[in-house]
Amino acid sequence: MMNNIKKDLSYWQEKHNKISTHIGKWIGGEDVKVRQYSLFNDLFGKISYMQMIVLNITGRLISKELSTWLENNFICMSYPDARIWCNQVGAFAGENQTSPAAATVAGILSADSRAYGGSQTTKIAMEYIQTTLIIYKKKLQIAGKYYDEEKIIQEIVHNTPIKHNKPAIVGFVRPVDKQDERIQPHITMSKSLGFEIGEHMELANKISNYLLKNYNSGINIGGYTAAFLSDQNFTPDEGYQIKNSCVSSGVTACYIDNLQHNNNEFLPLKCSDVKYTGQKIREL
């Protein structure tokens, strides 16, 4: 009986053996279309590489000021320090003589984490601050002119999970209780580029002040970036997509650093360094 049902295959017949795109097209020997722009007539020599990245991802041709902001943000997200986990991957890859592409991509993948790395965490932090701003506005509206702002922030913070006796909010925690050295340079840069503090950043600062006062744990660069990008009207997915390779420079640096080292020279261990917790040796 099922064999007698006629299926409408017109959609797939239209798509058969074709690549459909609204993003871009290479016109051999002439030009390249990028979204609604001509690469060589509209973009080449006129925009930065970061502007091109964001254009390809979002369809928006962002300002040079915002492009500069993002470029500097990337610089601060990729320290050439092999103690950082994703950079250790690059260092081990260099020691094992892999290709630079394999080393860098492996490092990027190891940083694609919900806990750190600046890519997936950007999405999570942006989701949090955008959702929380909606909640915050509703609470203000309900409370009217008699609202107690600190109480509202307290309610918002205490509705988040607790981990290690602190609210586990992505963008407002660090592995160590130290001020994030990247925040102040970003504040100075944002001001010098002409960016005003938006409503997401205002709320992020209020949450940060409350956490500093009560938990000694304020905003980190992830939370700051999430609030800033939200104020620039990016979605969480776009933030993730833009920031997906932000650790690449540091990974490649640590790959280069270890490329000429001897085998097994990076972080060598003794057998006594390994603590065995399995079954005791048994006689058979």
Side-chain angles (χ1 to χ4, degrees), residues 53-192:
I53 289 173
V54 177
L55 175 62
N56 277 326
I57 291 170
T58 69
R60 290 171 53 186
L61 183 56
I62 61 174
S63 68
K64 289 187 180 294
E65 291 78 11
L66 183 50
S67 172
T68 298
W69 194 99
L70 282 166
E71 287 163 7
N72 285 320
N73 179 257
F74 269 51
I75 290 171
C76 290
M77 294 303 298
S78 197
Y79 295 169
D81 185 333
R83 292 175 297 177
I84 300 169
W85 170 241
C86 54
N87 291 349
Q88 287 187 24
V89 174
F92 276 121
E95 181 185 79
N96 286 282
Q97 305 290 303
T98 74
S99 72
T104 305
V105 170
I108 290 171
L109 283 171
S110 73
D112 189 24
S113 163
R114 293 178 58 84
Y116 86 108
S119 53
Q120 189 174 173
T121 53
T122 296
K123 176 182 178 179
I124 297 168
M126 288 179 71
E127 288 173 339
Y128 173 78
I129 199 64
Q130 291 181 16
T131 301
T132 303
L133 180 62
I134 295 171
I135 295 170
Y136 176 72
K137 286 181 173 180
K138 287 182 178 178
K139 287 181 177 291
L140 287 180
Q141 189 176 21
I142 292 170
K145 63 180 180 178
Y146 301 106
Y147 72 91
D148 183 337
E149 185 169 85
E150 185 170 353
K151 184 178 179 181
I152 291 175
I153 296 298
Q154 182 185 45
E155 290 175 0
I156 287 171
V157 170
H158 288 186
N159 280 332
T160 59
I162 300 295
K163 188 175 182 180
H164 304 308
N165 298 317
K166 293 183 178 182
I169 307 173
V170 174
F172 295 86
V173 291
R174 288 195 93 186
V176 290
D177 289 330
K178 292 182 180 178
Q179 185 175 359
D180 194 325
E181 69 281 355
R182 296 166 289 186
I183 297 293
Q184 188 55 52
H186 273 73
I187 292 173
T188 302
M189 172 180 66
S190 298
K191 186 175 181 179
S192 68

